[in-house]
């Protein structure tokens, strides 16, 4: 018993400062690193939540765009930052799930270097085509691709992106052979689909909304468990018989791994509360994001499942970016 009490007393000084830190947290500005250039979906998500979060916590939230290296530059930066809850990263499934399978070596380790805070939002993928393609439905698209293997190209926002891997998933589930045409971002890929240079792509609603609304892109099916509120007449792939075709850009918040658990809990509470604010929620939904806001444990479990699912696909198809 004396030994136990001694160990407990020795541990108290270590616990007390962390608890005191959580009580005073945050007491200075937060640095929020976004691994993409300003203007994209992840940037919009960070700035929308960050502005409202700043008002809630009474501290500035400074968005820092740090693109490059397929998100690895920003990820490595945050992984090496002080683990005090004042540096956070917008991390998508490219950062935390795809990159470890796509690259033999990374400058960071998703499992070792980060602690999950919350999944902020999903950007579900949508199969879209140029209206002049003559394809009226997803069934017609799949039939056309099957009739002439290799005759259809598809665009993506880049090799290893959720857009790319969503189409690879459809190819596997539907037994298709199509040629991948990677671009540097969703915008140039969309421009070429709209222009007729490439007939199809998977895209999130946030990126493709203006073209869909104007009729320059035709949505055929959504890679989501349910139909999207913005596209109520567009079926899910599950409705068409492809229940495993579910794909989205998943954007969450992570912090350096050694961040104290009570700081992570405090940050989670504030971010989730911010996501539930009616005005924030409305802005995100209108933009094309499905707001989430789960617990660190729930987010960690989701990442575990997503890693198992996508690593199998990437390894089976021998996709590599090295």
């Amino acid at each position: 018993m004396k030994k136990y009490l001694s160990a407990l007393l020795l541990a108290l000084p270590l616990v007390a400062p962390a608890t005191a830190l959580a009580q005073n947290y945050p007491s200075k500005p937060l640095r929020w690193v976004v691994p993409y250039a300003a203007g994209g979906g992840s940037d919009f998500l960070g700035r929308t939540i960050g502005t409202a979060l700043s008002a809630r916590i009474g501290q500035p939230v400074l968005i820092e765009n740090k693109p490059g290296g397929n998100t690895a530059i920003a990820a490595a930066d945050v992984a090496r930052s002080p683990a005090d809850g004042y540096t956070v990263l917008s991390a998508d499934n490219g950062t935390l799930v795809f990159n470890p399978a796509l690259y033999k070596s990374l400058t960071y380790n998703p499992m070792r270097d980060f602690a999950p805070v919350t999944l902020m939002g999903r950007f579900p993928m949508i199969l879209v085509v140029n209206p002049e393609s003559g394809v009226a439905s997803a069934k017609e698209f799949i039939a056309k691709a099957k009739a002439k293997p290799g005759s259809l190209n598809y665009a993506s926002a880049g090799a290893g992106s959720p857009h790319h891997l969503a189409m690879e998933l459809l190819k596997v589930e539907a037994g298709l052979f199509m040629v991948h045409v990677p671009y540097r971002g969703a915008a140039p890929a969309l421009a070429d689909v709209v222009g007729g240079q490439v007939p199809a792509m998977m895209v999130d609603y946030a990126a493709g909304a203006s073209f869909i609304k104007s009729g320059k892109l035709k949505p055929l099916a959504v890679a989501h468990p349910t139909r999207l509120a913005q596209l109520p007449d567009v079926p899910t792939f599950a409705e068409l018989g492809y229940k495993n075709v579910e794909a989205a850009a998943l954007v969450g918040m992570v912090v350096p791994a050694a961040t104290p658990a009570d700081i992570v809990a405090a940050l989670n509470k504030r971010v989730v509360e911010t996501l539930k604010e009616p005005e924030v929620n409305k802005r995100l939904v209108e933009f094309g994001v499905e707001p989430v806001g789960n617990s660190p444990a729930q987010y960690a479990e989701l990442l575990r499942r997503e890693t198992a699912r996508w690593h199998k696909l990437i390894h089976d198809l021998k996709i590599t970016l090295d």
Side-chain angles (χ1 to χ4, degrees), residues 129-132 193-194 208-219:
V129 294
N130 184 302
E132 303 300 318
V193 176
V194 168
S210 63
F211 294 119
I212 292 171
K213 288 176 182 176
S214 65
K216 293 178 180 177
L217 285 179
K218 183 175 179 59

Side-chain angles (χ1 to χ4, degrees), residues 93-229:
N93 36 358
T95 310
L96 301 177
V97 176
F98 304 153
N99 281 356
L102 293 169
Y103 295 94
K104 289 178 183 175
S105 60
L106 281 175
T107 51
Y108 68 95
N109 183 307
M111 300 297 291
R112 184 190 65 215
D113 293 340
F114 300 114
V117 177
T118 188
L119 177 66
M120 296 182 290
R122 294 186 181 91
F123 293 74
M125 291 294 140
I126 307 159
L127 174 63
V128 296
V129 294
N130 184 302
E132 303 300 318
S133 65
V135 174
S137 68
K139 283 188 175 180
E140 281 187 28
F141 177 83
I142 290 168
K144 186 174 181 180
K146 279 187 172 180
K148 294 184 177 179
S151 64
L152 283 181
N153 297 341
Y154 74 92
S156 84
S161 66
H163 312 75
H164 169 210
L165 295 176
M167 192 68 95
E168 291 296 327
L169 179 62
L170 174 61
K171 285 169 59 179
V172 169
E173 293 297 323
L176 309 179
F177 172 52
M178 296 186 293
V179 180
H180 178 213
V181 183
Y183 288 77
R184 290 182 177 273
L190 282 165
D192 273 9
V193 176
V194 168
Q197 285 83 5
V198 186
M201 72 178 291
M202 287 278 194
V203 70
D204 57 282
Y205 186 78
S210 63
F211 294 119
I212 292 171
K213 288 176 182 176
S214 65
K216 293 178 180 177
L217 285 179
K218 183 175 179 59
L220 301 182
V222 296
H224 198 56
T226 59
R227 294 193 181 197
L228 302 185

Side-chain angles (χ1 to χ4, degrees), residues 49-319:
I49 298 171
T51 299
L53 178 64
S54 176
R56 178 174 289 275
I57 64 177
Q59 293 290 342
V61 176
L62 310 173
I63 303 294
E64 181 179 329
N65 297 94
K66 210 174 183 80
N70 219 7
T71 75
I73 292 173
D77 177 324
V78 173
R80 289 154 183 72
S81 296
D84 56 8
Y86 288 96
T87 300
V88 305
L89 173 71
S90 278
D92 63 13
N93 36 358
T95 310
L96 301 177
V97 176
F98 304 153
N99 281 356
L102 293 169
Y103 295 94
K104 289 178 183 175
S105 60
L106 281 175
T107 51
Y108 68 95
N109 183 307
M111 300 297 291
R112 184 190 65 215
D113 293 340
F114 300 114
V117 177
T118 188
L119 177 66
M120 296 182 290
R122 294 186 181 91
F123 293 74
M125 291 294 140
I126 307 159
L127 174 63
V128 296
V129 294
N130 184 302
E132 303 300 318
S133 65
V135 174
S137 68
K139 283 188 175 180
E140 281 187 28
F141 177 83
I142 290 168
K144 186 174 181 180
K146 279 187 172 180
K148 294 184 177 179
S151 64
L152 283 181
N153 297 341
Y154 74 92
S156 84
S161 66
H163 312 75
H164 169 210
L165 295 176
M167 192 68 95
E168 291 296 327
L169 179 62
L170 174 61
K171 285 169 59 179
V172 169
E173 293 297 323
L176 309 179
F177 172 52
M178 296 186 293
V179 180
H180 178 213
V181 183
Y183 288 77
R184 290 182 177 273
L190 282 165
D192 273 9
V193 176
V194 168
Q197 285 83 5
V198 186
M201 72 178 291
M202 287 278 194
V203 70
D204 57 282
Y205 186 78
S210 63
F211 294 119
I212 292 171
K213 288 176 182 176
S214 65
K216 293 178 180 177
L217 285 179
K218 183 175 179 59
L220 301 182
V222 296
H224 198 56
T226 59
R227 294 193 181 197
L228 302 185
Q230 301 92 338
L231 301 170
D233 297 327
V234 179
T236 67
F237 280 104
E239 290 176 68
L240 303 174
Y242 305 101
K243 62 183 179 64
N244 293 323
V245 182
E246 289 185 16
L250 305 175
V251 184
M253 176 184 284
V254 299
V255 291
T259 304
D262 47 359
I263 294 292
V264 173
L267 182 58
N268 171 273
K269 181 175 184 292
R270 287 158 175 77
V271 174
V272 172
E273 287 172 348
T274 303
L275 277 163
K276 289 179 179 177
E277 290 182 20
E279 187 57 35
V280 172
N281 195 280
K282 182 172 179 285
R283 284 199 73 199
L284 294 179
V285 170
E286 286 176 350
F287 187 74
V289 185
E290 180 190 322
V292 182
N294 55 8
S295 71
Q298 288 169 329
Y299 185 26
E301 173 59 20
L302 172 65
L303 290 172
R304 186 194 66 76
R305 294 197 310 268
E306 288 291 289
T307 297
R309 182 165 78 105
W310 290 105
H311 280 213
K312 182 181 186 308
L313 179 78
I314 291 167
H315 291 146
D316 286 352
L317 297 177
K318 296 181 171 57
I319 301 171

